[in-house]
Amino acid sequence: MIRSALIISIICTSQTVLSADILVEAESFADKGGWVVDQQFMDQMGSPYLMAHGIGEPVADASTTVEFPETGAYYLYVRTFNWTAPWYKGEGPGRFQIAIDGKPLPVIFGIEGEQWLWQSAGKVKIKNPKTTITLHDLTGFNGRCDALFFTKEANSPPPNDVATLGELRRKLLNVSIKEAGRFDFVVCGAGMAGISAAVTAARLGLKVALISDRPVVGGNSSSEIRVSTGGDGKYLYPQLGKITTILRLPPAENVNAARTADIYGDNKKLQLIRNTPNLELFINYHVIATETDRKYNGNAPSASGYSGNYVEPEPLKITAVVARNIETSEELRFEASLFADCTGDANVGFLAGADWRMGTESRYEYGEPFAPLVANNNVMGASNLWEFETLDTPSSFPVLDWACRFNDESAIVENKPDWRWEGGFTKDPIDEAENVRDQNLRAILGNWAYLKNSNPDYANRKILWLAYISGKRESRRLLGDVIVTQNDLKNNTQYDDASFTTTWSTDLHYPNPTNSRFFPGNEFFSYSEGTGIKPFHVPYRCLYSRNIANLFMAGRNISVSHVALGSVRVQLTTSMMGEVVGMAAAVCGKNSILPRQVYSERLDELKSLLQRGVPMITILAMGDALTEGSEASPSFLFALRRSLFNAGFAVDFIGPRETPYRYKHEKIREAGFPDKTVEYLDSVADSLYRQYPADFVLLNPGFGNLSEEKTTAACESIIRKINAINPNAYIFIPQKLTAGDGVNTAPDSVAKIADACFKALKKRME
């Protein structure tokens, strides 16, 4: 059975498709100029679209060439709307024009309509078979264009119903489903959880597809959203979190959301994926449908109001998912034995018929102290973070009649934008997501306009960046065999399938009371309530669906109550759960079993993987004082590890001891012997390598008082001994010293050694 967000059943559309009808999807424009592709709401409004997100400065034109079957007169319809209409009855701010072969049409778009509609541009003249179409932004205030429809028939706009329009799109664009291939494991969603699940499973031998619906990976911790990486989950299994360590922000930068784009490491995450064998990334693809082995029978208890553990006698299985490219409309079909829903909104589980719930449970359901007496649909909100800069001279910003209106009492005077800019608490976080995002934009821009025009302290300030992709905290949660609640966190319930650890408080967000007084029902500023917890080891059984037999989940959509979600939703914690899911998928693949059977039949095998951690590229550093380092001059291994991590290489340094001194709160395992000669290294090489059989050996012997000949002979002996144990081991000697040089631990020497090692290892790993 196929379940689709866009085409729910076969529909015979009443729209007659003529041979001269042309549909141009705005997101497919060859040159997008300064317009951005927004796919966040395509399940609700039918398609990605282009948006002129210029923060008040008109963006560069988008353009493309369209081939018309015949020249002459056409009627043009443009799908757009006035995005401020739910709150403001005047002309919309997202004004833009369309030009045909450089000639602007007289119609202004984006100024009317309370919802997406086909705005008529009247009759246009097409003179050339190949015609250039241009979108020209007039304001920089989020004008949006979904598609352009050219037809020879007067008064014949396309349908606006999402399902019917979806069928028409497929016909006009000649969309057919292509096969992406057969995989062992398909991970949908490339945030922190999805990356960790995919990389872990691939490194454990599964053939993995990772599907991302954005051009960058990292989800909430990407440069598009900029959430800091909070949480820590290594308490029960210290080796869990090796992938997470690569993904996390540098400690010095991980202090607040909305930092500069470069620190979020988009490229590092991308390189980690691309450097992982057995893993194929499909970027800019959004899952629109699932195929299951049979129809959902509907006999399971309702997701709302159900508590306790549940096992359906014959759970469904997903056999494939279909994903659409957000720019080209190409559709790919992915077959697999196992799937993971890391989409945040639980899109895959929802499409497949998984049990889920959304909103806040009553206090009586689980006895949670923080739960309200009566269940409701409230959720934690979504944030659109922003950043400003201070210029040397004053800058202007217009008064915005269409934005939220402020005065001295209601204005929010902030020296740093942070997570408290959050809205949508009482809205549906999926079906009303565009409304929530747009209200956040109205609030941020309206507050900024007021301060710029009334507060002298803001004269030289300018908004540098404003996220148009929302960072959600909560939406659907898929239900597993165990639903973790606040009582588990409070009482530190011990589960036999304990896996990752959550340490974050029960951090729940609510509308700020002052903000509610001025903007009731449309709040956009929050506060948090919660209490600290002891490290709680979360059971594996909340990481797979209770009624979709081969579906894992990781991220904010796992099987927890609303209150418990306050703890497990933070970025490093979701990454840890992704590693657990990747390991469990590997256990399934190895034994031809399903996720539930990992608990019932192979739990010890999963625990063994958790104890060992993700297999990494291993490095054994053997050598002298430069290898061990000192308080004055840290080991060159720190700089080397940083370079490798930034390049996206998953490496693990091994050895009999840790560096004696910490560098930036960290230590590295190594085999440095500062008081020994290379002949000593030769004497222990065999036993040392057998105990620590690394993929790469860095041999930095130094000379001491030995002659160059003796040093060379000893190095050759070490190489022979290691290669006798592992012929595939790569051995690199990074430093060439002259006899009598002794040990030079100067910083420039350390940097040179680290750089030489990095270049050699990078070349070999690639």
Side-chain angles (χ1 to χ4, degrees):
M1 178 184 180
I2 295 181
R3 295 173 180 267
S4 172
L6 298 182
I7 305 169
I8 299 173
S9 59
I10 302 296
I11 299 173
C12 294
T13 175
S14 59
Q15 182 83 21
T16 301
V17 180
L18 303 178
S19 59
D21 288 351
I22 298 290
L23 178 69
V24 183
E25 293 279 15
E27 66 271 14
S28 71
F29 270 39
D31 180 1
K32 295 176 179 60
W35 295 65
V36 295
V37 177
D38 192 346
Q39 94 307 332
Q40 297 173 90
F41 323 111
M42 59 186 287
D43 292 342
Q44 287 69 47
M45 52 77 62
S47 172
Y49 56 81
L50 284 189
M51 183 166 68
H53 184 61
I55 318 177
E57 297 181 3
V59 305
D61 292 351
S63 63
T64 198
T65 300
V66 178
E67 293 191 24
F68 285 84
E70 57 185 85
T71 58
Y74 283 82
Y75 295 91
L76 172 61
Y77 297 91
V78 179
R79 195 163 188 246
T80 182
F81 80 115
N82 170 16
W83 65 271
T84 62
W87 308 276
Y88 176 68
K89 301 308 177 187
E91 193 174 87
R95 300 188 295 279
F96 66 96
Q97 288 179 292
I98 292 175
I100 308 292
D101 277 337
K103 183 177 181 181
L105 301 179
V107 180
I108 302 298
F109 298 93
I111 61 175
E112 63 183 58
E114 295 186 0
Q115 59 185 357
W116 285 95
L117 52 75
W118 291 97
Q119 183 177 343
S120 174
K123 187 180 290 188
V124 299
K125 186 77 170 178
I126 300 299
K127 298 179 180 180
N128 303 306
K130 291 186 177 182
T131 297
T132 300
I133 309 295
T134 302
L135 301 181
H136 178 64
D137 174 36
L138 296 173
T139 67
F141 283 122
N142 299 88
R144 51 201 72 176
C145 179
D146 171 21
L148 298 85
F149 179 69
F150 295 86
T151 181
K152 290 286 189 177
E153 291 292 307
N155 302 313
S156 298
N160 208 41
D161 171 74
V162 171
T164 310
L165 177 57
E167 187 68 14
L168 181 64
R169 287 182 195 270
R170 293 180 64 84
K171 291 179 179 179
L172 290 174
L173 300 176
N174 194 28
V175 175
S176 61
I177 299 175
K178 300 177 182 178
E179 296 296 327
R182 170 77 190 181
F183 298 87
D184 299 318
F185 187 36
V186 172
V187 179
C188 305
M192 296 285 277
I195 294 173
S196 296
V199 170
T200 298
R203 294 199 65 82
L204 287 167
L206 296 188
K207 182 182 179 183
V208 182
L210 176 60
I211 304 174
S212 171
D213 66 358
R214 292 298 302 164
V216 301
V217 296
N220 277 357
S221 266
S222 72
S223 64
E224 289 192 315
I225 302 176
R226 305 191 188 180
V227 173
S228 57
T229 50
D232 185 4
K234 295 184 177 182
Y235 284 78
L236 183 60
Y237 294 104
Q239 295 304 310
L240 187 64
K242 292 180 180 180
I243 302 301
T244 302
T245 299
I246 301 173
L247 297 178
R248 73 182 303 163
L249 299 183
E253 304 288 354
N254 194 29
V255 294
N256 190 31
R259 308 301 296 272
T260 56
D262 56 300
I263 73 163
Y264 290 88
D266 294 347
N267 187 62
K268 175 177 67 175
K269 298 181 180 79
L270 187 61
Q271 290 306 314
L272 171 65
I273 295 166
R274 290 178 173 166
N275 291 337
T276 300
N278 307 317
L279 175 55
E280 189 171 357
L281 173 64
F282 295 84
I283 211 160
N284 281 338
Y285 281 88
H286 177 77
V287 174
I288 61 169
T290 62
E291 298 176 18
T292 53
D293 57 350
R294 57 187 172 79
K295 186 176 180 180
Y296 181 57
N297 61 29
N299 292 328
S302 169
S304 60
Y306 182 82
S307 63
N309 299 336
Y310 170 75
V311 178
E312 182 177 312
E314 296 182 35
L316 300 174
K317 290 181 186 177
I318 301 174
T319 55
V321 298
V322 177
R324 175 176 296 156
N325 189 287
I326 66 170
E327 294 189 2
T328 68
S329 296
E330 177 188 58
E331 294 183 4
L332 295 180
R333 180 176 179 272
F334 300 79
E335 284 190 19
S337 303
L338 300 164
F339 296 84
D341 189 332
C342 303
T343 62
D345 283 340
N347 288 343
V348 177
F350 173 76
L351 290 170
D355 291 339
W356 60 276
R357 74 187 325 162
M358 190 161 65
T360 304
E361 297 90 347
S362 74
R363 187 174 305 171
Y364 299 104
E365 183 161 356
Y366 299 125
E368 296 175 299
F370 287 2
L373 293 177
V374 179
N376 58 55
N377 294 323
N378 295 352
V379 296
M380 288 180 280
S383 290
N384 290 86
L385 300 174
W386 53 285
E387 179 188 1
F388 69 81
E389 61 180 341
T390 301
L391 306 175
D392 294 332
T393 57
S395 64
S396 62
F397 198 79
V399 175
L400 306 176
D401 292 338
W402 48 265
C404 294
R405 306 301 294 272
F406 290 85
N407 55 38
D408 285 347
E409 280 191 279
S410 60
I412 300 171
V413 181
E414 283 287 290
N415 289 321
K416 58 176 176 54
D418 61 16
W419 58 266
R420 290 175 296 171
W421 290 88
E422 174 183 0
F425 304 96
T426 60
K427 306 287 187 181
D428 187 306
I430 296 172
D431 289 341
E432 296 180 277
E434 188 171 20
N435 178 283
V436 171
R437 192 274 308 273
D438 290 346
Q439 169 65 357
N440 284 349
L441 296 183
R442 290 182 64 247
I444 294 165
L445 294 171
N447 187 70
W448 189 258
Y450 178 77
L451 295 175
K452 285 289 293 180
N453 291 284
S454 65
N455 188 330
D457 292 341
Y458 280 72
N460 289 26
R461 295 182 181 182
K462 179 181 180 180
I463 293 184
L464 181 64
W465 170 82
L466 169 58
Y468 66 93
I469 304 291
S470 299
K472 293 184 182 180
R473 290 174 178 81
E474 181 178 8
S475 54
R476 299 187 192 106
R477 289 168 275 124
L478 299 176
L479 302 184
D481 283 346
V482 171
I483 301 171
V484 172
T485 71
Q486 181 190 0
N487 292 326
D488 291 313
L489 304 176
K490 178 183 176 184
N491 301 327
N492 207 252
T493 306
Q494 301 298 303
Y495 285 95
D496 62 344
D497 57 337
S499 57
F500 69 95
T501 302
T502 182
T503 58
W504 203 257
S505 67
T506 49
D507 180 16
L508 299 172
H509 291 201
Y510 303 95
N512 179 284
T514 301
N515 196 239
S516 294
R517 180 159 60 92
F518 292 107
F519 302 95
N522 283 300
E523 294 91 345
F524 50 81
F525 207 69
S526 70
Y527 77 101
S528 67
E529 283 187 359
T531 184
I533 63 170
K534 294 180 180 179
F536 172 68
H537 310 313
V538 182
Y540 160 71
R541 283 171 290 166
C542 70
L543 298 178
Y544 61 83
S545 168
R546 71 187 187 186
N547 71 311
I548 303 296
N550 60 342
L551 179 63
F552 290 101
M553 56 268 196
R556 58 183 169 82
N557 58 354
I558 67 169
S559 183
V560 294
S561 69
H562 164 79
V563 177
L565 180 65
S567 176
V568 303
R569 63 182 171 78
V570 292
Q571 295 299 288
L572 293 187
T573 306
T574 62
S575 180
M576 299 280 186
M577 63 178 80
E579 290 190 32
V580 176
V581 163
M583 293 176 187
V587 174
C588 288
K590 177 183 176 183
N591 298 286
S592 299
I593 59 175
L594 296 169
R596 179 175 285 128
Q597 292 171 286
V598 173
Y599 173 71
S600 62
E601 301 175 17
R602 298 284 179 171
L603 185 57
D604 286 344
E605 191 172 338
L606 175 60
K607 289 182 177 181
S608 178
L609 286 176
L610 292 169
Q611 289 168 350
R612 297 198 304 269
V614 182
M616 310 280 272
I617 299 169
T618 51
I619 300 174
L620 173 63
M622 299 173 58
D624 58 1
L626 284 175
T627 302
E628 184 175 85
S630 66
E631 188 171 9
S633 182
S635 169
F636 72 90
L637 299 176
F638 289 103
L640 173 60
R641 181 169 67 177
R642 184 168 59 253
S643 296
L644 290 169
F645 277 16
N646 288 342
F649 291 105
V651 300
D652 200 2
F653 288 84
I654 61 176
R657 63 178 64 85
E658 289 184 326
T659 50
Y661 299 98
R662 293 183 182 274
Y663 179 68
K664 294 187 176 180
H665 311 292
E666 297 179 345
K667 290 188 174 185
I668 291 181
R669 298 205 72 84
E670 40 82 14
F673 301 93
D675 299 323
K676 304 293 184 180
T677 67
V678 68
E679 289 182 326
Y680 175 80
L681 291 180
D682 184 25
S683 70
V684 300
D686 184 272
S687 61
L688 185 63
Y689 189 78
R690 289 185 187 277
Q691 189 176 358
Y692 301 99
D695 301 307
F696 294 88
V697 176
L698 303 179
L699 181 56
N700 196 58
F703 280 82
N705 296 317
L706 296 178
S707 67
E708 187 168 345
E709 290 76 17
K710 286 187 176 182
T711 300
T712 301
C715 287
E716 290 175 349
S717 177
I718 292 171
I719 292 170
R720 285 195 300 271
K721 289 174 180 177
I722 292 174
N723 281 336
I725 300 169
N726 178 10
N728 296 318
Y730 178 73
I731 304 164
F732 179 64
I733 302 176
Q735 188 180 37
K736 174 69 173 174
L737 292 178
T738 303
D741 274 0
V743 176
N744 176 12
T745 57
D748 61 335
S749 177
V750 170
K752 288 177 182 177
I753 295 173
D755 186 59
C757 290
F758 171 68
K759 290 177 179 177
L761 296 183
K762 182 174 183 290
K763 183 177 181 180
R764 188 75 175 186
M765 291 175 187
E766 291 176 339

